[in-house]
Amino acid sequence: MAIPWTFTIIAAPHVVVSLSMLALGSAVLYRERFSRVGLSFMLFTASIAIGVFGIALVFVVDDPATALAYARVFGHFGVAFIPSTFLIFTLHVVGRYRELRWSAFTALAVSIAFYLGFAATDLFIPELYSYSWGDYTRYGPASLVFILCFFTGMTFAFYLFWREYHAYPSGRKRERPKELLLAGAVGIISGVDFFAVYGVAVYPFGYVFMLGFVVLCARAIWRHRLVDITPAFAAEGIISSMTDGLLVLDRDGSVRVVNAAACSIFGYGEGEMVGRPLAAMVPGLPNQGSYFDLIRVSGGKKYWEIAYAGKRHGDEAKYIDLSASVMPDRDGDIAAIVVIATDVTRRKKDEMAIRESNARLAEALEDLRQAQEKMIAQEKLRALGQMARGIAHDFNNSLTPIIGFTEMLQKTPGMLRNEERTLEFLDMIHTSALDAKTIVQRLRQQYRPDASSVPAVAFDLNRSISQTVALTRSRWQPEAPGSGKTIEVKTVLGALPDVNGNESEIREALTSLIYNSVDAMPEGGRITIQTASDGDSAVVTVEDTGVGMTEEVRSRCFEPFFSTKGERGTGMGLPMVAHVVREHRGTITVESEPGRGARFTVRLPFAAAQQTESDLPPP
């Protein structure tokens, strides 16, 4: 039986609004990737759209009984489920669905109960009102309970948005519930439609505000991406964003899932890889039947490193690390293999470059070692030359008094009748010979490092100075008769405790200082040698009235081979003196200015002070 109906312009806005709501709900559902938020929003908009469309049907149907049936079955299907679907949507948006799902189930049960009451009884909708714009639903007394539950459910949903809004002081999470609360404020105005159901002749234009409510909700979702982060959604996002290649193989070793990174690594498109055995595309992997055996034997995981020549001839070769593990099903059986592919070409090239660099470095180190050995050999020869020059210098100093005293005895034989004088000369000659013997012993020790050195003993420093002055007399005293120049040596010796050391080496050092002063006084002059006690050290000063030194000469006078005497000098006298002083734990300084002579100050510790420091290493 055909249902009589007449199209009226009053119904057109309701049809347009209902279709618009369905379109918005579908768009949000698609944009949100069919997430729970998108699905709940789609259900909410669908319930509103069905209710609004049901009102449009009431307007166009001519038969009052049919119009009443449409109002109960279609119009109030949407109205009954608006609070429950909106509450479900709210719970998903604020992330409290699991916590408050009991409220969602309760709201759904209440909506179903009210819908059954609307559709099957006349307790809620007994008849229709006839207004100038058309027929409209008339509510009975029982509908007051529905209206109370309707606004209670909507108020609870808005309360959740209000809580969400105040939970965040600022930022995007605060803006989202703020916009949804604004949408709710617009939607509340649609409640004007309830005036007409109680006989108040107000045109039911609430659909306009309901459309605004839905549009604002859709806008908030669109702006803030209210997608529900489900495991499936997260897995899809992770797979697509991985920088490593991911392949899932079935039990036959064929590719079933592949991400973009794997396609890029192996040079195939997704369509070319899915359904094909991985071993057929990637040489170097085992055949399909042995994957599971290999992985099972290795404890659930297997690693390969392959050199991949590329899909086509001429492609750049790649080094790929493959990690395979099994994916079990619910029963614990192997369902698939997950393969992670990592392009390690750059790392391998870096490793090869490092190995090449290490090889070059080892070669350079070997060259350096050989060059170092040559330099050490050259340094040994140079040191030997320095030692020979130093020994020659010291030996010459020891021979000088021997030659001088013997020449004096030869030239003046009458001195032999003076027994006392002759014995004094012979004693000096004997002392110089012993010093020469010590020099030879030092030379032998250079070739016998294990030989025992001359033991250090306590000796009288003043006595050594007097002996040195006497031993060097043949060098400075003949200057006067030969050239008319006078060189005077004056000693001022204070009382001193014994010092500890090698007396022969100390005499050699003092001899070099005296000879250095003699060479610095070509026109004659005075050499003053003084000793004094200062704390736990003996202080010896050798001062002359010679030509003095410039600042440069003074700063370099202790350097080996540095000499201002030309071919007459060896440059080893003062360096030898400094070496002997340091070996005796002493110090030496020099003060000098051009034209004002030089003053050498030697500090040597007393024997008692050295014994207290015997356990300390030499400086």
Side-chain angles (χ1 to χ4, degrees):
M1 178 180 177
I3 299 175
W5 63 279
T6 303
F7 179 76
T8 173
I9 193 65
I10 296 176
H14 291 76
V15 174
V16 172
V17 168
S18 62
L19 294 176
S20 300
M21 289 184 179
L22 289 174
L24 278 173
S26 301
V28 170
L29 179 63
Y30 178 76
R31 177 176 173 79
E32 296 300 298
R33 298 175 179 267
F34 296 89
S35 67
R36 294 178 182 178
V37 171
L39 286 170
S40 60
F41 183 74
M42 182 65 194
L43 289 175
F44 172 57
T45 56
S47 63
I48 299 176
I50 292 172
V52 174
F53 189 76
I55 295 175
L57 290 178
V58 173
F59 286 153
V60 300
V61 173
D62 295 332
D63 179 50
T66 304
L68 180 60
Y70 283 170
R72 290 175 173 175
V73 175
F74 294 106
H76 280 73
F77 176 86
V79 175
F81 283 95
I82 286 176
S84 58
T85 55
F86 183 66
L87 178 60
I88 294 172
F89 166 69
T90 302
L91 292 175
H92 282 299
V93 169
V94 299
R96 301 184 64 184
Y97 180 79
R98 291 182 179 273
E99 176 189 355
L100 299 175
R101 59 180 177 270
W102 59 267
S103 62
F105 294 149
T106 302
L108 281 174
V110 172
S111 294
I112 293 172
F114 278 121
Y115 176 67
L116 293 176
F118 286 135
T121 70
D122 57 1
L123 295 175
F124 296 93
I125 306 176
E127 59 183 351
L128 297 177
Y129 282 118
S130 181
Y131 292 110
S132 60
W133 65 81
D135 294 337
Y136 202 70
T137 305
R138 176 177 177 267
Y139 274 6
S143 62
L144 291 174
V145 179
F146 167 71
I147 292 176
L148 177 63
C149 292
F150 182 95
F151 283 103
T152 299
M154 297 298 289
T155 301
F156 180 63
F158 290 135
Y159 169 74
L160 294 176
F161 281 134
W162 181 84
R163 286 281 303 272
E164 181 80 0
Y165 172 74
H166 285 281
Y168 300 98
S170 61
R172 192 171 183 177
K173 289 188 176 182
R174 183 179 175 91
E175 289 297 317
R176 182 176 67 185
K178 177 182 176 181
E179 294 183 14
L180 291 171
L181 282 172
L182 177 63
V186 174
I188 287 295
I189 304 177
S190 63
V192 298
D193 288 357
F194 287 112
F195 289 129
V197 300
Y198 287 106
V200 181
V202 178
Y203 175 72
F205 58 88
Y207 63 87
V208 176
F209 296 99
M210 188 58 69
L211 177 62
F213 174 40
V214 172
V215 169
L216 291 175
C217 286
R219 177 176 178 272
I221 296 173
W222 206 278
R223 285 186 62 189
H224 300 291
R225 296 290 296 175
L226 300 179
V227 61
D228 187 26
I229 307 299
T230 62
F233 172 74
E236 181 180 353
I238 292 172
I239 291 173
S240 62
S241 62
M242 285 177 62
T243 56
D244 289 338
L246 173 69
L247 304 99
V248 181
L249 313 181
D250 59 20
R251 295 186 62 86
D252 296 327
S254 298
V255 177
R256 293 304 176 189
V257 177
V258 62
N259 68 349
C263 294
S264 175
I265 290 173
F266 293 107
Y268 289 90
E270 182 178 358
E272 295 178 280
M273 298 192 74
V274 174
R276 295 182 60 190
L278 181 61
M281 295 178 284
V282 184
L285 291 178
N287 294 327
Q288 56 186 22
S290 59
Y291 280 116
F292 293 99
D293 294 335
L294 284 172
I295 296 172
R296 186 182 293 108
V297 169
S298 61
K301 289 188 177 181
K302 183 68 178 178
Y303 300 93
W304 291 275
E305 181 180 298
I306 62 172
Y308 180 60
K311 175 184 175 183
R312 292 173 295 273
H313 179 71
D315 288 349
E316 182 181 1
K318 296 180 179 180
Y319 294 94
I320 302 174
D321 277 353
L322 297 176
S323 171
S325 58
V326 296
M327 179 188 295
D329 58 18
R330 293 182 179 178
D331 298 328
D333 296 330
I334 297 176
I337 301 175
V338 179
V339 179
I340 302 296
T342 305
D343 188 348
V344 295
T345 304
R346 177 174 295 181
R347 189 189 74 192
K348 294 292 289 186
K349 289 182 177 179
D350 290 343
E351 289 175 355
M352 289 187 288
I354 291 173
R355 283 196 293 268
E356 293 176 0
S357 177
N358 288 340
R360 290 194 297 269
L361 180 60
E363 184 179 351
L365 287 174
E366 179 61 22
D367 293 342
L368 179 62
R369 186 188 63 79
Q370 295 179 1
Q372 187 179 25
E373 289 180 353
K374 292 180 181 179
M375 291 179 64
I376 290 173
Q378 293 173 357
E379 183 65 20
K380 287 180 178 179
L381 291 175
R382 189 177 69 85
L384 183 60
Q386 292 180 6
M387 181 194 68
R389 294 179 66 176
I391 294 296
H393 177 276
D394 295 342
F395 205 75
N396 182 65
N397 289 345
S398 297
L399 291 178
T400 298
I402 296 175
I403 296 172
F405 286 124
T406 55
E407 285 181 348
M408 290 176 63
L409 292 174
Q410 287 176 343
K411 291 179 181 179
T412 56
M415 293 180 63
L416 294 174
R417 290 189 291 271
N418 188 341
E419 183 178 350
E420 181 180 355
R421 186 70 168 170
T422 302
L423 289 175
E424 179 183 354
F425 282 2
L426 290 175
D427 185 57
M428 295 299 180
I429 292 171
H430 181 262
T431 300
S432 296
L434 290 177
D435 289 345
K437 178 183 178 183
T438 302
I439 294 171
V440 173
Q441 287 178 343
R442 279 214 320 270
L443 179 62
R444 293 174 62 187
Q445 289 169 5
Q446 297 295 328
Y447 293 97
R448 292 195 303 163
D450 57 338
S452 300
S453 59
V454 177
V457 295
F459 64 93
D460 184 351
L461 182 60
N462 286 336
R463 183 190 63 193
S464 297
I465 292 173
S466 299
Q467 288 177 343
T468 303
V469 171
L471 288 170
T472 58
R473 181 178 288 111
S474 61
R475 174 73 185 275
W476 52 265
Q477 196 173 44
E479 294 290 336
S483 60
K485 302 171 186 176
T486 302
I487 295 179
E488 178 187 359
V489 177
K490 181 180 179 182
T491 58
V492 182
L493 306 178
L496 295 176
D498 289 348
V499 296
N500 201 46
N502 189 318
E503 186 176 6
S504 175
E505 290 184 354
I506 294 297
R507 280 199 299 268
E508 290 176 19
L510 292 171
T511 299
S512 291
L513 288 177
I514 293 173
Y515 285 172
N516 186 77
S517 295
V518 171
D519 291 339
M521 296 185 295
E523 303 298 327
R526 177 187 299 168
I527 301 173
T528 304
I529 304 174
Q530 300 183 55
T531 61
S533 176
D534 184 13
D536 58 358
S537 299
V539 181
V540 181
T541 59
V542 179
E543 184 175 3
D544 63 61
T545 58
V547 295
M549 307 180 198
T550 63
E551 179 62 26
E552 180 184 1
V553 173
R554 188 191 66 78
S555 63
R556 298 184 60 191
C557 66
F558 295 115
E559 294 181 10
F561 305 114
F562 177 77
S563 175
T564 59
K565 302 175 185 177
E567 295 183 358
R568 295 186 302 109
T570 62
M572 291 302 296
L574 292 180
M576 182 276 295
V577 173
H579 174 72
V580 169
V581 171
R582 284 195 298 269
E583 281 194 338
H584 285 74
R585 299 178 182 269
T587 60
I588 181 170
T589 58
V590 59
E591 302 170 57
S592 181
E593 292 182 15
R596 302 187 64 178
R599 177 187 177 94
F600 290 88
T601 302
V602 177
R603 301 178 68 91
L604 296 172
F606 293 130
Q610 283 190 320
Q611 288 174 0
T612 59
E613 299 178 0
S614 60
D615 293 333
L616 297 176

